[in-house]
Amino acid sequence: MSFTVAIDGPAAAGKGTVSKAVAAHFGFAHLDTGLLYRAVGAKVIAGAAPVAAAQALDPVDLENDALRTPEVAQAASEVAVIPEVREALVAFQRSFAARAGGAVLDGRDIGTVICPKADVKLFVTASAACRAERRFQELVAKGLDVRFETVLADVKERDARDSTRAAAPLVPAEGAVMLDTSDLTVAQAIAAAVDVIAAARR
C-alpha cells in the first residue's frame, strides 16, 4: 500500500534532514528531488543526450558522491530548462511517490505540482537569518572563507527567485502543515514531523 509524504521548503530550512529522518522512522523510501537534475547533468557531462539521460534515470544514479560538484550543478541548471527533461523527471518522481511501502519526497514543488494528493504535506521553513546562519556554519566548517552578510544576501536572493518563478514557484501547498524550525533543535523538528505523519496514518 502506498503512502506519500510531500515535504517542501526553502534552502537550509532543514527539509532534507527531516525527510531522511521520517523516512527512516516509518520505513519509507526517500527521494531528494534536488538530486534528479544533478544526476541528469552528470550523465550529460559523461556524454549522454539530456532527454535520453532523464528518461533512463535510475534511483541508483542519485547515490553518486560527485553530484555535489560545481561542474555538475552548472550542467543541472542547463538541462533543467529543457521541457522534455522536466516531463521525464516529473514522471520519475510520481512513479517513486506511488511505490508500495510508502515514500517521502522533498523538494520545492512536491505538494503543489508533483504530488498534490499526497497523504501528508509539510512545508518546512525558517527565518532567512536562521537559514543563513546554518549555511554559514556549514561553509565555515568546510574551511571556506565566507562572510555571513554574503550568505544572507544569497539566501534572500534565492528565496525571491524560487518564490516568483513562473513554473512551479516555491509556495506552501494547499493543506500543507507549516513547520517552522527557526527555534527548534533537529530532534524537535523531526519529532514534530513524525507526529503529523503518525496522526495521518491512524
Side-chain angles (χ1 to χ4, degrees):
M1 185 174 166
S2 67
F3 187 94
T4 306
V5 179
I7 301 183
D8 293 307
K15 68 179 180 293
T17 300
V18 168
S19 299
K20 288 177 192 148
V22 297
H25 179 88
F26 291 102
F28 295 163
H30 171 251
L31 178 63
D32 175 354
T33 62
L35 292 178
L36 293 176
Y37 290 95
R38 285 176 177 262
V40 173
K43 284 177 173 286
V44 169
I45 290 171
V51 176
Q55 292 171 340
L57 198 65
D58 186 276
V60 175
D61 296 326
L62 307 180
E63 296 168 13
N64 183 352
D65 290 339
L67 297 183
R68 302 288 185 184
T69 67
E71 183 186 17
V72 169
Q74 179 60 37
S77 68
E78 290 170 6
V79 300
V81 300
I82 302 171
E84 294 87 351
V85 168
R86 297 191 74 87
E87 286 172 18
L89 296 187
V90 166
F92 179 96
Q93 291 170 78
R94 287 180 175 156
S95 174
F96 188 96
R99 62 170 50 201
V104 179
L105 289 80
D106 76 77
R108 296 282 196 283
D109 61 354
I110 310 304
T112 53
V113 175
I114 307 300
C115 303
K117 295 184 178 177
D119 298 281
V120 174
K121 298 175 199 169
L122 284 171
F123 192 85
V124 180
T125 189
S127 70
C130 179
R131 291 184 288 118
E133 177 63 28
R134 292 172 184 168
R135 182 56 52 84
F136 175 70
Q137 295 298 343
E138 282 178 16
L139 296 171
V140 169
K142 290 178 180 176
L144 297 174
D145 182 19
V146 290
R147 295 176 66 244
F148 173 75
E149 291 77 11
T150 304
V151 177
L152 178 59
D154 287 345
V155 165
K156 289 181 176 178
E157 182 183 330
R158 184 169 181 179
D159 285 352
R161 190 169 65 242
D162 284 348
S163 60
T164 59
R165 67 189 180 203
L170 174 64
V171 292
E174 183 178 345
V177 176
M178 301 295 288
L179 178 57
D180 190 322
T181 65
S182 300
D183 300 314
L184 301 180
T185 64
V186 172
Q188 288 171 332
I190 292 168
V194 165
D195 287 346
V196 171
I197 297 165
R201 296 185 77 207
R202 290 191 189 113

